[in-house]
Amino acid sequence: MRHLLGIESLKKDTLTVILENADKFVELSERTIKKAPALRGKTIINLFLEPSTRTRASFEIAGKRLSADTINITGSSSSTTKGETLLDTGRTLQSMNPDVLVVRHRASGAAHFLAQYLSKTSVVNAGDGMHEHPTQALLDLLTLKQRLEGVQKELSGLTIAIVGDVLHSRVARSNILAHQLLGNKIRLVGPPTLVPDEFRSANCFGSEVEISHDLSQGIEGADVVYVLRLQHERQTENFIPSVDEYSREFCVTESILSASAPDCVVMHPGPANRGVEISSVVHDGDRSLIAQQVKNGVAVRMAVLFQLITRGEEARVE
Ligand code: NCD
């Protein structure tokens, strides 16, 4: 693996190795001294041209825990505000010889574009527009794997209901591809404007994906209810009559979960809008894996950086 651009191009074997290595890095992150020398002397640049709290902080912590030198560049502090193109910014940074460039950008395809032109640097897609967010899907899988430990061995045969603004969500896309790779069933739930029937077409997610425009029906019997934020920043027209009306129909509350999916766990990539797509009771409640997702973000990103830089060695944490 030279770059991590999306789940679409990831092989199942590589995905499994990343999750196995991430398990070891979870353990490292719980020690008093949370540091291993694995990436000493390596340089990682985080180029974040869109807002981020979790992803940016966890990539930085991940690099530091593996002893790499990490630097962060954000939109407002970069020369892109002076008119420099993304490619020129990428080439400028590559001249400083980093091992990995982690990129977040509002344009779908931005990470692929850079990867095509940068010959010496590995590129990690940390979210490109409405396209993919592969490390989010990987940390979500790690979280589910931990949850299933002792209950079932394989991360397959589950029903995953993804609720909300699927149309504009790179998180949804990467999760759908990852669950399809593992053999889980996907249900997409939301208003027709945000969950169009075209998602079931052959050139999208295929006819195995189920679609529901009714929250109670869509989550019925689901093992996982994965809630999404309304991506206002990517919505170009009025997809919902009002936020109030959206939450009346699609806010995930404890009463809906107890009635339709009593045994489910709840996930959300964050940031959440409490009371809009998820109630506070559910967000902070017993079925919520949200804090665990954030925690696993560090370990998964350690595993991804390790995989790219060592080209697939087995992680050994002494
Ligand atoms: C997501 C993103 O940026 O795509 N957040 C994240 O990385 N945890 C989801 C979102 O912004 O809604």
Side-chain angles (χ1 to χ4, degrees):
M1 183 170 83
R2 202 166 111 62
H3 307 287
L4 177 63
L5 302 177
I7 299 292
E8 194 167 18
S9 50
L10 196 66
K11 295 201 174 66
K12 194 173 168 183
D13 289 356
T14 315
L15 183 149
T16 308
V17 172
I18 292 173
L19 295 188
E20 277 166 8
N21 284 342
D23 260 336
K24 297 178 193 164
F25 293 137
V26 168
E27 193 263 312
L28 176 74
S29 294
E30 270 155 12
R31 294 185 188 174
T32 329
I33 297 173
K34 310 182 231 332
K35 218 167 173 86
L39 301 185
R40 194 168 47 199
K42 306 295 179 188
T43 306
I44 297 160
I45 300 182
N46 295 323
L47 176 64
F48 274 65
L49 302 176
E50 251 200 350
S52 172
T53 301
R54 295 153 192 74
T55 310
R56 200 196 59 68
S58 59
F59 265 113
E60 182 176 357
I61 293 171
K64 290 194 158 129
R65 287 203 180 150
L66 292 176
S67 306
D69 298 309
T70 59
I71 68 147
N72 300 302
I73 302 171
T74 56
S76 56
S77 66
S78 81
S79 287
T80 52
T81 57
K82 297 181 183 171
E84 187 174 63
T85 65
L86 177 63
L87 182 55
D88 282 339
T89 301
R91 282 182 170 148
T92 301
L93 296 173
Q94 178 171 258
S95 302
M96 300 176 203
N97 236 355
D99 296 277
V100 180
L101 182 63
V102 180
V103 186
R104 169 169 286 198
H105 198 278
R106 66 175 188 285
S108 303
H112 287 71
F113 172 73
L114 280 179
Q116 205 181 323
Y117 287 99
L118 301 185
S119 55
K120 296 191 297 179
T121 308
S122 291
V123 176
V124 177
N125 181 4
D128 62 326
M130 296 165 26
H131 180 227
E132 277 226 47
H133 192 351
T135 57
Q136 179 69 44
L138 290 169
L139 74 88
D140 293 334
L141 293 183
L142 179 66
T143 308
L144 277 178
K145 184 168 166 271
Q146 292 166 345
R147 179 72 183 199
L148 291 175
E149 238 137 46
V151 184
Q152 71 177 65
K153 250 179 117 209
E154 296 288 321
L155 249 182
S156 61
L158 301 169
T159 299
I160 320 285
I162 302 181
V163 182
D165 187 357
V166 181
L167 183 66
H168 299 98
S169 173
R170 54 200 179 199
V171 171
R173 196 177 146 76
S174 289
N175 262 278
I176 294 166
L177 296 171
H179 284 297
Q180 285 183 329
L181 193 64
L182 295 175
N184 292 316
K185 197 156 117 191
I186 301 288
R187 291 210 208 124
L188 304 177
V189 187
T193 45
L194 300 176
V195 182
D197 289 336
E198 286 88 327
F199 280 163
R200 300 191 71 237
S201 69
N203 58 7
C204 202
F205 302 121
S207 57
E208 276 144 46
V209 164
E210 292 175 9
I211 287 185
S212 174
H213 304 307
D214 177 276
L215 181 58
S216 307
Q217 271 172 22
I219 65 170
E220 205 177 326
D223 300 294
V224 179
V225 174
Y226 196 106
V227 190
L228 301 169
R229 180 178 67 86
L230 287 170
Q231 306 277 298
H232 294 292
E233 69 275 31
R234 295 183 222 291
Q235 295 181 3
T236 48
E237 34 185 296
N238 290 333
F239 287 89
I240 50 168
S242 71
V243 172
D244 274 357
E245 195 163 328
Y246 175 83
S247 43
R248 267 199 299 280
E249 297 285 327
F250 291 102
C251 184
V252 173
T253 61
E254 188 49 42
S255 60
I256 292 170
L257 292 174
S258 328
S260 297
D263 301 322
C264 76
V265 291
V266 171
M267 304 179 81
H268 190 304
N273 287 151
R274 290 167 184 260
V276 177
E277 73 270 10
I278 187 168
S279 75
S280 270
V281 172
V282 173
H283 186 286
D284 303 331
D286 290 343
R287 30 168 118 252
S288 168
L289 302 183
I290 298 170
Q292 196 63 23
Q293 287 173 269
V294 176
K295 179 178 171 188
N296 284 331
V298 175
V300 155
R301 287 165 181 134
M302 287 166 85
V304 165
L305 295 171
F306 182 85
Q307 182 81 10
L308 285 168
I309 293 177
T310 65
R311 300 280 150 91
E313 267 176 38
E314 192 192 329
R316 253 187 277 277
V317 180
E318 305 294 320

